Amino acid sequence: METRTVPRIVTSRITAYDDSHTIERFLATGGYDGLRKALSMTPEQVQAEVLTSNLLGRGGAGFEAGKKWSMMRKAPTRYLVINGDESEPATFKDHMLVEGDPNQLVEGTIISAYAIQACQAFIYLRGEFALGLERVQQAVNDAYRNGALGEDIFGSGFSLDIVVQPGAGAYICGEETALLESLEGRRGMPRIKPPYFPAAMGLYGEPTIVNNVETMANMPWIISNGGAAFAALGAGRSTGTRIFALSGHVNNPANYEVEMVKTTFRNLIYDEGLGGGIRGGKELKCFVPGGASAPWFGPQHLDLPLGQDEVGKSNGVLPGGGGSMLGSGSIVVMDQDTDVVRAAWRLARFFARESCGKCTPCREGTSWLDKVMKRIVDGHGRPGDLELLRDVCDNIAPGLAFPYAMTTICFLGPSAAMPIMSALTMFPEEFERRVGSAPAGSLPGKPETAGVV
Amino acid sequence: MPTKPTVETFTITVDGREVEAEKGEMIIAAAERGGTYIPRFCWHPRMKPVGMCRMCVVDVKGPRGWGLVPACYVPVGPNMEVNTQSPRVKKAQDGILELLLINHPLDCPVCDKGGECPLQDHTLAFGPGETRMAEEKRHFEKPIPISDLVLLDRERCIMCARCTRFADEVAGDPFIQIIDRGNGSQINVFPDEPFASYFSGNTVQICPVGALTASPYRFKARPWDLDQVESTCTVCAVGCRVALQSSSNRLTRMLGLDSEPVNHGWLCDKGRFSIDAVNSENRLSTPLVRRDGELVEASWGEALDAAAAGLRAARDLHGPSTLAVLGGARLADEDAYAWAKLAKGVLGTDNVDCQMGDGLPAEVVLGLPRATIEDATWADTVILLAPDLKEELPVLHLRLREAARDHGVAIIELSSRATGLTVDAKASLRHQPGWAPAVMAALLAEGDPTESVAGVAPEALQRARRLLAPDRSVVVVLGRGSLAESAEPTVQAALALHRARPSATFLPALRRGNVNGALELGLAPGLLPGATSLADGATRFAEAWGSVPGARGLDTTAALAEAADGRLHGLVLLGADPLTDHPDRWLARRGLSGAGFVVAVDAFRTPSVEQADVVLPVAIWGERPGTTTNIEGRVTRLGQKVVPPGVAWADWMVASELAFALDADLGLESLAGIATEIERLAPSRAGLTPARIDDRAARDGLVVPLATADAPPVPGEIEANDDPGVAAVQGHVETGAPAGVGPDTGGEPGGPVAAPSSAPAPARVRPPAPSPAAGVKTDAYKLRLVSSRTLYDAGTIVQESGALAKLAATPALHVHPSDINRFSLGDGGLVRVTSSRSVATLTVMADPTLPRGACWLAFNLGSPGAADLIDANEPITDLAVESA
Amino acid sequence: MSRLAPEFEKRAVDLMALYPQPRSALLPLLHVLQEQDGYLSEDGMEHVAELVGLLPAEVLSVASFYDMFHTEPVGRYLVGICTNIACMLDGAEELLHHAEQRLGIKHGATTPDGLFTLEEVECVAHCNKAPCAQVNYRYFGPLADDDFDQLIDDLAAGALADQVPSHGTLIRVRREGSLRVAPERIAEERAIVTGQIADRAAGAAAAKKATEEAEAKRQADEAKAGAEEKKES
Ligand SMILES: Cc1cc2nc3c(=O)[nH]c(=O)nc-3n(C[C@H](O)[C@H](O)[C@H](O)COP(=O)(O)O)c2cc1C
Ligand code: SF4
Ligand code: FES
């Protein structure tokens, strides 16, 4: 890898100081500088900077933050909601950000609220983040004390309140419309689109921007240094740096902020100072490239750059074709001895447990997949089970391709099919061994078109 | 401003066929109108889409090629192309059905829904073969009661959320909820808080599987035994369209039909489950005659002779003005007309009143410009000058609730107590009982209100006044908010509004099934059929009937007073029970015992029937065809499904035969004949021939008076009903009676349209002029009584409908908490109340929704009750209270 | 158990005031109720329902959706062992088995002394410390079997009382900020400000356009010059 210095954009304090979460450290290290600068600009100018940076949302879908803001319905009452529900298995970057640098998150939130002229902002944090909730609440209190929140922020005439909202244990509340339902005091069940596109019809039916914690954490730097400086990092559509949460069979499981595209999966897993290679010097069997919902990759994908399109448009493993995704930015490494059937089952079970139950294919399909997989794992597989798995997966995500088509309301359903279809396609013999006989039958072909919109 | 949107239409293509679609409409609805049924479970045409079941996926051509979309929440677009039959759609539907079935028990043979179950039907029509699920199914405890009327089998549930959405969105009673998450989700109630909704039966009807069943229907009948007729529910005057089903000459089920102008498919539980009253063992099945003080069975001949003899003697000895015919608000239109003709044309008395002193003067009801339900639901402002509609006209309550929530209709409520619509009202003017005219005057006055009026704060008046800006359309729902005060305050408030705002229209909130038809057809003092005054119609009707009374007669209260004083010598009760229904029971009791000779024409042995000298048994709903008229003046057909018990007859036949026994001939021989005579003579019904009512295009009924006598039938038809129970047997639906079963087979559908009478029609009755009267000052040492009805009561219909009987509450005196303190009463303690009529001991209940100084007691929950305390001659009822 | 005690009710009322619609405070209110009793009692849910203006059934419907809310009492310490993929790859299933042995209960159960409830949980976002556990949502890991035993001993001895409050207490930092947002008021203000900003922006845009045009012209000239240079080299 070349040796140019890449700035730490969101983890600079966390990596340098033990007390990175305190307001004192924050203020001593440029805290609120971005906010002060933003308030000296017009909201349109702030939006323009973010558009220039081409910052992609860090929550999973990877939509350009500036573009999303510009699509907001023009109504007087608008809301900003920060998505800190991080529950995607093996994703722990937001957890670090809220515990390690809560003031940065609050600053980014105020900047964004100013840019979109929100009436109120909510930081919805996963309920299990007890320490994170305390630290972000403290950061909000400190912001009030320092004049960064409340009436007439820093004398700019702009006023804002932020409410820290605890979730209560439901992965689906990370899905933005489910999150809004939850924030309205309801069961976190995703809304149907149309008509509930948050930017048009969000919280209480008003236009609402939902952005991820890490997306917000980038804002102070982008405003301080300019969108162009951010866009100068990375390549193509994937600009700047991004945190990748590395776990599984690597020597140094941790979060790493690296430059996008300029870094590859191989760098991340094997480089010194990063993953440091597979534990015990073993071989890589496969890895999950972007959160539990992502189709898996094998050793042949190691040299793909960490970029949205680079991964999305790659040649992946799904029977229906297509690549995979960086999703929530978490990479789970499995070594040569991993029982991939068990690993795939464990993820399938996660989705079955977390299905909200609103739509039939997800409510019934995920738990059926869980049951069949469990049976196979326990050695009670039957001939025909693999065909059944493929067919049930196909009924949830018709075509079994990436990007997914789906018969469900949201992406949770197809997510359950991805680990199963990945493992089954990459390692069919491990399944066949367990169901006794190897069934014949081909996989469904590539579909002509996308699915449910 | 809520105006019914005018629809923009465009063309879409469904399976290659062009369909006219309305902007904003969902694909599923447009396709269905075009004749393509897209399978669905969660979507219901009367609720907002949720997209849960995913059964409705179709292929739609978009900019990026064909794609699967759910038809239930994707709106149509111009030139949209839809394919409901592509292999991909079939595969997806098979997949969904398989997933719905993996946890569904296969107990169809013993399921109440078996035979009319969309899941079963779709599985046959669209689904895969046998199950591939090897694992155990989801288990729940088998049917659990979630209320006195509804049972829930969670294993059968497919999580479409129709029931919970209905309870929340439509009824506003979200007692049932989805509990738990994901595959473990279940429908349930909070522990010890049952699904106590007046509308719970609708969830049973719309549940697409057998998960929700009605305890009154359970196992009574199998869907395939049932054939059905269309009819109208006459338990109250909203006039919901229904399908009546029977098995072995017993009514087994009543289902709501979707009538666009009226009930949208919904029914209240009282209507739905009161078919048990029709089947009741306690129905009168044979005539009775009093002999030696006892009512004993008699033949029709004996009974009619006895009745005729008694009435003739009274008339001949004391004159026709000593006769009275009271009641008739539950008759069919034809019956009401026949009785009006008998009373006014043959007996010669104008002491005729279908109301029991608990309604409004006929001239007010008929004279004020009439609104339809639809007018109310699209008005800018609706004024409620009425009792709690949720208790008295429940489905009208639903329609107005929807109007307030979804159309933004502003509701102004003038009442002395909170009602079911209070939460949806833009202004609730809670006034002291008896002071409605003063509040109305303040609303209509010029300048800003500065002081409270009868307990209503100036700000509230101001808010309400803004909602009455001159450019806003206004509909008034008008009824008796309290039976403990005279009708006068309500009438004066309404007349004042009418004078100040002639464009305002009125929807009468009178409760009994066909009270509107009975009033219009002449069962009221001073009126003749066709909303005609005695004076205006005298010539026409004297010519047709032979004679009409010369002067205006007495209403029910006045007639009872005459009787009490021994001056009424012959009394006919037409399904009337003054002892239960008249606000002044003391007067009713004295009236009945003072009346010289009493004939009761009824279906039950009510307390008043027990006092009669001759009892004539009659048919009720489900047992006779005919027409009925709802609050709007909408005339619809009643269907006959079973035959009446014993030798009971239709009321018009009783009238006709009694006339013969009195040596007169009404000239009425068939329902069609009566309808034709009504059309010819009653000006408000000109053009309404039997053939027109039978026109398929008039399935929602026709509102009288028709726009012009020969206008084309009002378009609009009953929407294809989403309910499987109805759809599955739609082929059997008939209008009117099965041939040869009933006393009459109705008109001839499609027959020639009779020409309207050429004689000049008399003018429609006019409302009286207002005569403002001040309210009666409150007495600080007393509590002023407000009294109104509750849906479930001690009345015959509820008490004869097994499942409903126990739902009637025990009466309690509701008192504002501050008055509880003021009079040192205890919440839950006993209080002794004294009115000018009597003394009663009651339980006290705190009720902060009352104005101070007022108290509320249900009217109809038995004795001692409000009727024991009310003096019909007093404008208000004040009670002295002391802790007992 | 019971309805909210006055000080808890006060907190509940304050929380509701933070939102444009009181129902939004439902999850925080249920956390407050759980803090009081350690779980959600029927009486408590009824009280919360009254406060936010819902039926108890609606509150139960919401509460039962979320894993963190318990409608039955649980132990003072709710010990959750993650067995999701990252932890599983690092021996979480073995740790769970050990925990069951150590506490003498199956997961899902509570020790007879009411001190510990053991749960198998989904990923707690602590995967770099796999296998890991949470105790009342405070995280520990990586945990070898004896680390786990030590943790249990410390908890039982009260040695971690500061770090791990008893079950139900989630956020010990109280909100101190003061702006209570009435969305209509803010919306009105925003509309005015947006108008002013639009005016300003229009002015700025015009100025910017002028500079940009000048700049573009300059760049074009430069580029022309540059292109000529390149051609030469
Ligand atoms: C099942 C599901 C779970 C999700 N979980 C999260 C989450 O935990 N955190 C998050 O930021 N986004 C999550 N998302 C993505 C959000 O819906 C949304 O795209 C994101 O919050 C937008 O923020 P961004 O534009 O800043 O990325 C999830 C999406 C789905 C379908
Ligand atoms: S009980 Fe019936 S109506 Fe209710 S969700 Fe289940 S299937 Fe649907
Ligand atoms: S009918 Fe469309 S999803 Fe159920």
Side-chain angles (χ1 to χ4, degrees):
Chain A
M1 226 179 106
E2 59 182 308
T3 52
R4 79 203 171 95
T5 46
V6 174
R8 289 216 164 94
I9 293 179
V10 289
T11 61
S12 61
R13 273 183 214 101
I14 294 177
T15 49
Y17 308 101
D18 285 344
D19 62 352
S20 59
H21 63 279
T22 62
I23 187 71
E24 293 76 20
R25 177 62 66 196
F26 179 69
L27 293 175
T29 51
Y32 299 138
D33 285 358
L35 173 59
R36 283 178 206 279
K37 183 166 173 201
L39 292 174
S40 72
M41 301 156 67
T42 67
E44 286 77 6
Q45 285 167 339
V46 177
Q47 286 203 29
E49 271 324 314
V50 175
L51 203 56
T52 307
S53 77
N54 203 48
L55 170 67
L56 302 182
R58 301 299 197 225
F63 196 84
E64 293 92 323
K67 194 164 158 199
K68 191 192 277 188
W69 293 2
S70 70
M71 285 160 48
M72 195 170 202
R73 178 164 62 91
K74 300 285 173 279
T77 306
R78 309 174 201 177
Y79 295 103
L80 173 65
V81 176
I82 309 309
N83 187 344
D85 191 55
E86 187 173 68
S87 316
E88 179 94 352
T91 310
F92 48 99
K93 62 184 183 75
D94 295 344
H95 194 184
M96 173 185 74
L97 289 173
V98 298
E99 285 184 4
D101 202 346
N103 297 293
Q104 174 179 265
L105 166 64
V106 169
E107 182 183 357
T109 303
I110 306 169
I111 293 171
S112 307
Y114 175 70
I116 63 165
Q117 290 288 297
C119 293
Q120 195 175 9
F122 299 87
I123 300 181
Y124 185 106
L125 289 183
R126 179 171 176 182
E128 289 94 333
F129 290 169
L131 182 61
L133 281 159
E134 290 180 342
R135 292 213 167 142
V136 176
Q137 184 61 64
Q138 188 59 53
V140 167
N141 291 352
D142 289 336
Y144 265 108
R145 223 183 347 260
N146 286 289
L149 273 178
E151 218 90 39
D152 191 16
I153 296 171
F154 296 149
S156 65
F158 178 72
S159 309
L160 183 74
D161 173 52
I162 296 180
V163 171
V164 182
Q165 176 86 347
Y171 162 70
I172 188 60
C173 291
E175 197 281 335
E176 56 188 7
T177 58
L179 184 147
L180 296 177
E181 286 284 297
S182 182
L183 185 49
E184 289 183 11
R186 298 169 202 281
R187 298 162 63 83
M189 310 217 279
R191 298 173 174 176
I192 50 177
K193 305 177 187 181
Y196 298 104
F197 298 103
M201 227 188 182
L203 190 64
Y204 314 122
E206 303 291 353
T208 302
I209 293 297
V210 181
N211 272 136
N212 169 258
V213 163
E214 187 186 344
T215 312
M216 283 300 109
N218 277 291
M219 295 301 167
W221 194 96
I222 290 175
I223 298 305
S224 293
N225 298 276
F230 191 87
L233 298 166
R237 285 214 309 131
S238 305
T239 57
T241 61
R242 181 168 182 185
I243 306 178
F244 288 92
L246 187 64
S247 65
H249 297 138
V250 285
N251 281 314
N252 311 318
N255 283 310
Y256 297 103
E257 180 178 352
V258 298
E259 187 178 7
M260 295 199 76
V261 187
K262 302 290 167 57
T263 318
T264 64
F265 286 109
R266 188 184 298 284
N267 295 141
L268 197 62
I269 296 172
Y270 287 97
D271 282 6
E272 279 313 312
L274 296 176
I278 312 278
R279 236 178 277 162
K282 291 188 187 171
E283 290 297 313
L284 174 76
K285 185 168 187 176
C286 57
F287 62 98
V288 185
S293 322
W296 296 2
F297 275 169
Q300 70 273 29
H301 297 102
L302 275 174
D303 291 313
L304 281 176
L306 295 171
Q308 180 137 312
D309 294 342
E310 288 75 2
V311 170
K313 297 190 175 138
S314 66
N315 191 9
V317 303
L318 288 183
S324 184
M325 61 179 183
L326 286 182
S328 62
S330 70
I331 291 157
V332 186
V333 174
M334 292 177 250
D335 70 18
Q336 64 195 55
D337 298 330
T338 307
D339 177 349
V340 290
V341 183
R342 192 171 189 86
W345 162 64
R346 189 60 189 79
L347 290 179
R349 189 178 69 162
F350 167 78
F351 291 110
R353 279 190 177 178
E354 297 296 342
S355 168
C356 80
K358 184 168 179 176
C359 65
T360 308
C362 179
R363 180 184 66 247
E364 304 293 339
T366 56
S367 65
W368 195 7
L369 289 174
D370 169 28
K371 286 177 184 162
V372 175
M373 285 294 288
K374 176 77 167 73
R375 215 180 51 220
I376 296 174
V377 166
D378 289 348
H380 305 302
R382 307 175 179 191
D385 271 355
L386 305 188
E387 197 46 52
L388 176 65
L389 284 176
R390 281 188 201 107
D391 197 47
V392 174
C393 287
D394 189 62
N395 282 338
I396 300 173
L400 299 173
F402 186 88
Y404 335 123
M406 56 192 195
T407 56
T408 51
I409 295 177
C410 85
F411 285 103
L412 192 149
S415 297
M418 292 305 132
I420 297 174
M421 288 320 298
S422 303
L424 185 53
T425 318
M426 293 168 89
F427 309 101
E429 58 307 331
E430 295 198 23
F431 282 80
E432 280 153 15
R433 211 169 43 233
R434 280 169 137 123
V435 299
S437 68
S442 59
L443 294 165
K446 196 173 158 68
E448 314 128 65
T449 50
V452 177
V453 287
Chain B
M1 196 190 286
T3 36
K4 191 166 191 189
T6 44
V7 273
E8 189 184 312
T9 60
F10 35 69
T11 309
I12 67 169
T13 315
V14 180
D15 298 339
R17 255 190 306 162
E18 292 203 340
V19 173
E20 198 71 352
E22 291 173 3
K23 189 177 177 196
E25 182 177 41
M26 302 305 160
I27 295 171
I28 197 169
E32 185 154 333
R33 247 186 318 99
T36 305
Y37 181 86
I38 297 171
R40 82 294 297 261
F41 293 109
C42 66
W43 186 73
H44 186 282
R46 294 295 180 185
M47 297 193 284
K48 298 190 182 75
V50 278
M52 287 174 77
C53 73
R54 319 303 283 178
M55 189 64 197
C56 64
V57 284
V58 293
D59 246 327
V60 169
K61 193 167 177 187
R64 281 168 296 153
W66 290 91
L68 290 178
V69 306
C72 72
Y73 65 84
V74 173
V76 292
N79 305 318
M80 188 180 241
E81 281 181 61
V82 179
N83 185 343
T84 71
Q85 303 292 328
S86 72
R88 214 167 33 171
V89 168
K90 290 279 149 212
K91 165 112 173 51
Q93 287 173 348
D94 282 359
I96 299 293
L97 269 177
E98 178 177 38
L99 290 169
L100 285 173
L101 288 169
I102 57 175
N103 278 304
H104 190 82
L106 297 173
D107 59 354
C108 307
V110 297
C111 177
D112 270 10
K113 204 80 176 184
E116 56 171 22
C117 173
L119 186 59
Q120 209 179 26
D121 296 346
H122 287 339
T123 306
L124 294 176
F126 305 92
E130 78 282 19
T131 176
R132 296 184 286 176
M133 165 101 156
E135 347 294 327
E136 198 164 339
K137 290 179 191 274
R138 193 164 43 217
H139 280 305
F140 283 111
E141 191 189 326
K142 270 293 180 181
I144 50 169
I146 54 171
S147 76
D148 287 320
L149 298 172
V150 181
L151 297 160
L152 167 66
D153 182 334
R154 290 163 292 175
E155 289 183 346
R156 291 183 187 152
C157 170
I158 58 166
M159 276 296 144
C160 66
R162 279 180 164 202
C163 55
T164 51
R165 284 182 290 140
F166 171 83
D168 186 15
E169 250 177 58
V170 181
D173 296 323
F175 293 102
I176 47 169
Q177 290 287 328
I178 304 177
I179 311 285
D180 298 335
R181 189 176 74 200
N183 199 36
S185 303
Q186 51 165 312
I187 303 297
N188 216 328
V189 292
F190 193 76
D192 302 322
E193 193 165 279
F195 182 28
S197 170
Y198 285 167
F199 305 98
S200 68
N202 293 296
T203 63
V204 175
Q205 184 173 337
I206 63 178
C207 178
V209 292
L212 290 168
T213 45
S215 37
Y217 298 158
R218 228 166 104 82
F219 304 129
K220 281 233 177 102
R222 308 292 304 161
W224 48 84
D225 299 337
L226 308 167
D227 67 339
Q228 61 184 14
V229 297
E230 281 183 26
S231 189
T232 297
C233 174
T234 52
V235 170
C236 86
V238 173
C240 299
R241 288 297 282 169
V242 298
L244 279 175
Q245 303 179 335
S246 69
S247 178
S248 330
N249 200 42
R250 286 176 73 79
L251 293 180
T252 46
R253 205 157 65 155
M254 185 155 110
L255 296 170
L257 292 178
D258 193 324
S259 174
E260 168 67 32
V262 184
N263 60 317
H264 289 186
W266 312 130
L267 298 180
C268 74
D269 288 356
K270 182 173 176 182
R272 183 183 302 269
F273 296 117
S274 61
I275 51 168
D276 273 359
V278 180
N279 298 330
S280 165
E281 296 302 312
N282 298 329
R283 287 285 304 281
L284 285 167
S285 57
T286 164
L288 306 171
V289 175
R290 191 170 296 279
R291 288 209 181 100
D292 305 327
E294 291 287 311
L295 282 173
V296 297
E297 293 192 0
S299 70
W300 269 107
E302 289 164 335
L304 286 169
D305 285 346
L311 294 173
R312 186 187 287 119
R315 182 185 58 186
D316 294 351
L317 273 171
H318 305 284
S321 66
T322 67
L323 301 179
V325 177
L326 303 180
R330 294 203 177 280
L331 306 183
D333 288 337
E334 294 85 348
D335 302 327
Y337 177 81
W339 273 99
K341 190 171 182 180
L342 174 62
K344 300 200 174 184
V346 175
L347 294 173
T349 178
D350 195 54
N351 303 334
V352 174
D353 191 356
C354 64
Q355 302 188 88
M356 287 292 106
D358 55 354
L360 294 171
E363 287 82 358
V364 172
V365 178
L366 296 173
L368 289 171
R370 191 72 72 96
T372 61
I373 296 174
E374 186 160 280
D375 293 341
T377 59
W378 291 101
D380 293 314
T381 299
V382 168
I383 300 179
L384 297 180
L385 193 60
D388 189 345
L389 300 177
K390 193 173 182 179
E391 304 289 345
E392 305 213 358
L393 299 166
V395 172
L396 178 61
H397 162 85
L398 290 188
R399 293 293 312 273
L400 290 176
R401 182 176 183 273
E402 180 198 33
R405 288 172 177 239
D406 294 355
H407 309 168
V409 172
I411 292 179
I412 303 176
E413 184 180 63
L414 259 76
S415 77
S416 299
R417 190 176 179 240
T419 73
L421 283 169
T422 299
V423 287
D424 294 301
K426 286 260 166 33
S428 265
L429 311 179
R430 199 68 47 78
H431 60 80
Q432 262 126 30
W435 287 84
V439 177
M440 184 62 82
L443 279 183
L444 299 171
E446 303 283 321
D448 287 344
T450 51
E451 53 195 62
S452 299
V453 177
V456 181
E459 305 77 56
L461 288 169
Q462 185 63 36
R463 202 167 339 116
R465 244 200 239 181
R466 252 179 264 133
L467 302 173
L468 290 174
D471 58 336
R472 295 175 65 91
S473 60
V474 175
V475 170
V476 184
V477 179
L478 181 65
R480 275 283 280 284
S482 170
L483 298 176
E485 63 188 59
S486 76
E488 208 44 26
T490 308
V491 168
Q492 290 308 328
L495 293 177
L497 181 87
H498 172 57
R499 165 171 288 185
R501 189 104 177 202
S503 64
T505 51
F506 293 78
L507 192 58
L510 300 178
R511 190 180 63 96
R512 284 191 196 87
N514 195 23
V515 62
N516 297 284
L519 288 173
E520 194 203 328
L521 293 169
L523 291 183
L527 291 184
L528 289 166
T532 310
S533 72
L534 213 47
D536 288 343
T539 325
R540 168 185 279 222
F541 283 93
E543 189 184 313
W545 288 358
S547 71
V548 292
R552 184 192 171 91
L554 307 173
D555 66 10
T556 294
T557 302
L560 288 172
E562 281 289 292
D565 292 347
R567 290 196 295 268
L568 197 74
H569 299 286
L571 173 61
V572 180
L573 297 176
L574 293 175
D577 181 8
L579 287 178
T580 307
D581 285 329
H582 195 275
D584 184 343
R585 189 171 291 141
W586 183 85
L587 178 66
R589 204 178 296 124
R590 288 189 58 230
L592 279 191
S593 54
F597 177 73
V598 181
V599 179
V601 183
D602 212 316
F604 293 96
R605 275 181 93 134
T606 65
S608 304
V609 168
E610 294 293 351
Q611 307 269 308
D613 299 294
V614 178
V615 179
L616 306 174
V618 285
I620 52 176
W621 71 91
E623 297 171 344
R624 51 132 203 259
T627 64
T628 187
T629 306
N630 81 345
I631 51 174
E632 309 164 282
R634 180 180 304 279
V635 180
T636 52
R637 272 235 170 273
L638 295 167
Q640 182 187 355
K641 193 68 197 69
V642 291
V643 295
V647 294
W649 289 352
D651 293 82
W652 71 267
M653 293 175 78
V654 178
S656 193
E657 294 298 321
L658 186 57
F660 283 127
L662 288 161
D663 303 322
D665 183 356
L666 291 182
L668 304 176
E669 277 150 26
S670 70
L671 279 180
I674 302 176
T676 306
E677 182 167 321
I678 295 174
E679 190 278 330
R680 186 165 53 84
L681 290 176
S684 65
R685 303 237 163 176
L688 194 76
T689 58
R692 285 190 67 134
I693 302 173
D694 283 334
D695 193 326
R696 287 308 275 185
R699 285 173 74 192
D700 288 330
L702 296 168
V703 176
V704 293
L706 302 183
T708 59
D710 48 3
V714 179
E717 64 187 85
I718 295 194
E719 293 278 306
N721 196 280
D722 192 61
D723 181 77
V726 177
V729 281
Q730 201 101 65
H732 302 286
V733 170
E734 292 162 29
T735 48
V741 179
D744 193 283
T745 53
E748 303 144 66
V753 175
S757 162
S758 53
R764 191 179 170 88
V765 65
R766 285 161 296 270
S771 60
V776 180
K777 283 268 174 287
T778 40
D779 178 341
Y781 299 100
K782 292 186 168 172
L783 287 179
R784 180 160 296 174
L785 182 63
V786 180
S787 184
S788 54
R789 293 172 194 270
T790 54
L791 187 66
Y792 301 127
D793 60 10
T796 314
I797 291 172
V798 169
Q799 290 308 313
E800 293 295 336
S801 303
L804 300 179
K806 57 179 176 289
L807 298 178
T810 34
L813 189 74
H814 292 224
V815 181
H816 191 277
S818 72
D819 289 325
I820 291 192
N821 289 337
R822 192 158 66 97
F823 291 99
S824 313
L825 311 171
D827 187 3
L830 290 178
V831 60
R832 185 160 50 243
V833 296
T834 311
S835 75
S836 58
R837 273 281 187 255
S838 77
V839 184
T841 303
L842 294 157
T843 311
V844 178
M845 205 161 131
D847 183 349
T849 74
L850 285 163
R852 275 155 216 226
C855 60
W856 179 83
L857 180 60
F859 178 73
N860 51 345
L861 290 178
S863 265
D868 297 305
L869 299 167
I870 297 166
D871 178 347
N873 293 318
E874 294 289 332
I876 45 92
T877 309
D878 280 343
L879 303 178
V881 291
E882 58 183 322
S883 188
Chain C
M1 276 274 225
S2 49
R3 294 164 64 86
L4 289 171
E7 71 270 26
F8 286 91
E9 179 169 353
K10 165 91 174 51
R11 268 170 67 194
V13 170
D14 287 350
L15 279 169
M16 289 195 298
L18 298 178
Y19 301 87
Q21 294 180 8
R23 184 172 180 160
S24 277
L26 186 50
L27 265 58
L29 257 58
L30 290 171
H31 281 302
V32 168
L33 175 62
Q34 189 151 280
E35 178 171 337
Q36 173 180 293
D37 293 341
Y39 77 107
L40 307 181
S41 65
E42 279 175 27
D43 287 352
M45 283 190 278
E46 280 172 16
H47 193 181
V48 168
E50 280 165 33
L51 289 173
V52 288
L54 296 173
L55 292 180
E58 294 174 281
V59 171
L60 177 61
S61 174
V62 173
S64 64
F65 185 86
Y66 297 93
D67 292 338
M68 287 174 73
F69 293 132
H70 295 264
T71 50
E72 299 289 333
V74 296
R76 180 180 175 84
Y77 296 111
L78 184 60
V79 180
I81 299 201
C82 168
T83 58
N84 208 307
I85 186 154
C87 285
M88 183 193 101
L89 294 176
D90 275 324
E93 289 174 338
E94 293 76 4
L95 176 63
L96 178 65
H97 182 71
H98 172 77
E100 290 182 339
Q101 302 290 312
R102 169 67 180 77
L103 293 172
I105 49 173
K106 282 279 174 206
H107 64 85
T110 303
T111 54
D113 59 4
L115 216 46
F116 297 101
T117 298
L118 183 64
E119 274 187 317
E120 182 196 18
V121 299
E122 296 298 345
C123 179
V124 298
H126 204 50
C127 323
N128 49 333
K129 300 283 162 56
C132 64
Q134 60 182 14
V135 182
N136 296 346
Y137 310 108
R138 272 71 181 176
Y139 298 107
F140 300 90
L143 293 177
D145 289 357
D146 30 339
D147 298 330
F148 181 81
D149 294 347
Q150 184 64 50
L151 174 63
I152 293 299
D153 291 343
D154 288 350
L155 287 166
L160 292 171
D162 273 0
Q163 198 189 338
V164 186
S166 64
H167 177 254
T169 300
L170 193 63
I171 316 170
R172 290 163 299 178
V173 178
R174 298 272 173 275
R175 181 188 157 100
E176 279 160 20
S178 56
L179 181 66
R180 293 284 185 275
V181 175
E184 314 79 54
R185 183 180 67 85
I186 300 273
E188 262 167 43
E189 280 176 23
R190 291 283 187 275
I192 297 166
V193 173
T194 311
Q196 291 166 350
I197 289 171
D199 294 346
R200 251 197 289 157
K208 190 163 169 237
K209 196 163 167 231
T211 25
E212 270 171 6
E213 277 167 7
E215 170 70 11
K217 188 154 177 293
R218 193 184 58 78
Q219 277 180 2
D221 292 347
E222 252 179 40
K224 219 190 277 166
E228 273 152 26
E229 261 172 51
K230 228 185 220 156
K231 234 183 262 166
E232 280 162 28
S233 61

